[in-house]
Amino acid sequence: MMAVFQSNHTAGETGPGALPRHIAIIMDGNGRWAKQRGLPRTAGHAAGAETFRRVATYARDIGLEFLTVYAFSTENWKRPAEEVSTIMGLLERYLHEAIAKMERDRVKMRFFGDTTVLSPKLQELIARTAEISTRFEGCQVNICVNYGGRDEILRAARAYGAACARGEAPELTEEAFGDYLYSAGVPDPDLLIRPGGEMRISNFLLWQAAYAEFYFTDVLWPDFTPAELDKAIAAFQGRSRRYGGLMQ
Ligand code: FPP
C-alpha cells in the first residue's frame, strides 16, 4: 500500500477524510474542447492526453494507489478512422515515454479491455509495461482500451462457464467472479469522476462501480487540472458512504 505522500501536495489540503484508494475517470469532452477553439477533434484528444499525464502524475504524488481511465471504449471504433488512429497513436506515444521512466516514477500500468485486436506495436508496448510493472510497488494506472463494461462481464461469465466445464470453477461468489474480470485483484473504485457535463456511466466499470461515489463536472477533460481533482476528492470526503446500511 502506498500511504506515503511523495510531494508537497497532500490530499489533506482538500479537507478532512480519507483519500480514496482508487479513482476512476471518464475522460470526456475532448471533441467539444477542440470545437470551441476551431480545432479538429484530434487536437482535443492530444490535449486530453496531456491532461492525463498531468493528472496521473499528480495522483501518484498525493499517494493514490489506483487510477483507472477510460481511453477507448468498445463502441469508439464507430468514430472516423482518423480519430481512432489519432487516439491509438497518442497511446503509443504515451507508452513509449512511460516505459523509459515508469520504474523511476514508480507508476505501474495495467490495461483493461481486449487488447488482442490492437496493433502489434501497441500490444508489444503493453506487454513491456506489464513486465516492468512486476518489478516494483507503486501507484497503479489502469488504462481502459477497447473496453466495455458489459463485454467485460460477458467475457467473465464465459470464462467461468469454461472453468465449470473443466471442473475447475470455484463457488460462484461476488469475490470469485471478480477474479474473472479485467480488474482482478484491483479494489473497486471509491470515486468515479466524469468531466464534460454528461451524467451517465457509458458502459464503464459496470460491475466495479457498484458503490462508487460519482462526481460530475462541466469542465471539459483537456481543462481538468490537479485542482479539479482536489475538488472531486474534497466532494468525496464530504460524502457519507453507507453501502446500503445505515449511518453509524
Ligand atoms: C472522450 O471525449 C474521449 C475519448 C473517446 C478519448 C480519450 C483519449 C485520450 C485522452 C488520449 C489517449 C489516452 C491516453 C491514456 C494517452 P469525446 O471525444 O467524446 O469528447 P466530446 O464528447 O466533446 O465529443
Side-chain angles (χ1 to χ4, degrees):
M1 166 159 169
M2 275 261 306
V4 182
F5 295 125
Q6 298 185 338
S7 84
N8 294 330
H9 307 290
T10 71
E13 288 163 11
T14 63
L19 187 70
R21 281 187 81 188
H22 182 177
I23 296 179
I25 306 181
I26 299 177
M27 305 186 290
D28 193 24
N30 296 346
R32 278 163 289 157
W33 182 92
K35 194 170 173 209
Q36 283 172 3
R37 286 160 180 76
L39 298 169
R41 292 177 56 81
T42 48
H45 295 312
E50 283 307 314
T51 299
F52 163 72
R53 279 186 183 80
R54 278 193 296 274
V55 169
T57 302
Y58 181 71
R60 194 271 327 256
D61 287 349
I62 63 174
L64 190 77
E65 287 181 75
F66 298 93
L67 175 70
T68 302
V69 293
Y70 208 177
F72 195 85
S73 75
T74 43
E75 289 71 39
N76 285 151
W77 298 105
K78 294 180 212 150
R79 295 194 178 201
E82 190 204 350
E83 186 168 339
V84 171
S85 71
T86 295
I87 296 173
M88 295 302 163
L90 287 164
L91 261 174
E92 204 175 298
R93 201 177 117 195
Y94 173 73
L95 292 183
H96 257 301
E97 290 166 10
I99 280 170
K101 51 186 193 155
M102 42 195 292
E103 208 155 355
R104 184 198 72 196
D105 290 350
R106 306 198 81 68
V107 173
K108 305 202 303 182
M109 227 176 282
R110 212 161 115 179
F111 285 78
F112 293 176
D114 177 13
T115 55
T116 62
V117 298
L118 302 180
S119 71
K121 179 82 210 158
L122 257 177
Q123 290 190 54
E124 187 218 323
L125 290 167
I126 287 171
R128 273 166 66 192
T129 60
E131 189 276 314
I132 296 168
S133 297
T134 60
R135 294 192 213 140
F136 59 93
E137 286 305 312
C139 174
Q140 181 172 313
V141 174
N142 305 306
I143 302 181
C144 300
V145 183
N146 192 23
Y147 173 87
R150 287 186 173 180
D151 180 62
E152 178 185 35
I153 292 167
L154 277 184
R155 282 166 188 269
R158 286 191 205 112
Y160 182 79
C164 283
R166 293 193 305 271
E168 293 167 4
E171 188 196 344
L172 189 55
T173 61
E174 290 185 8
E175 202 188 348
F177 190 68
D179 288 339
Y180 289 86
L181 299 170
Y182 293 124
S183 57
V186 175
D188 287 345
D190 304 292
L191 171 62
L192 194 153
I193 301 174
R194 182 165 191 155
E198 311 285 3
M199 288 190 248
R200 52 177 173 257
I201 194 160
S202 298
N203 207 11
F204 187 44
L205 303 180
L206 294 183
W207 176 276
Q208 299 86 343
Y211 286 101
E213 294 292 330
F214 284 69
Y215 179 85
F216 298 103
T217 169
D218 288 336
V219 172
L220 303 174
W221 174 248
D223 291 328
F224 195 93
T225 56
E228 296 295 335
L229 190 69
D230 278 346
K231 274 196 225 168
I233 292 171
F236 168 84
Q237 289 171 333
R239 307 261 179 99
S240 144
R241 302 183 84 195
R242 295 189 293 279
Y243 302 95
L246 300 175
M247 284 280 278
Q248 295 290 308

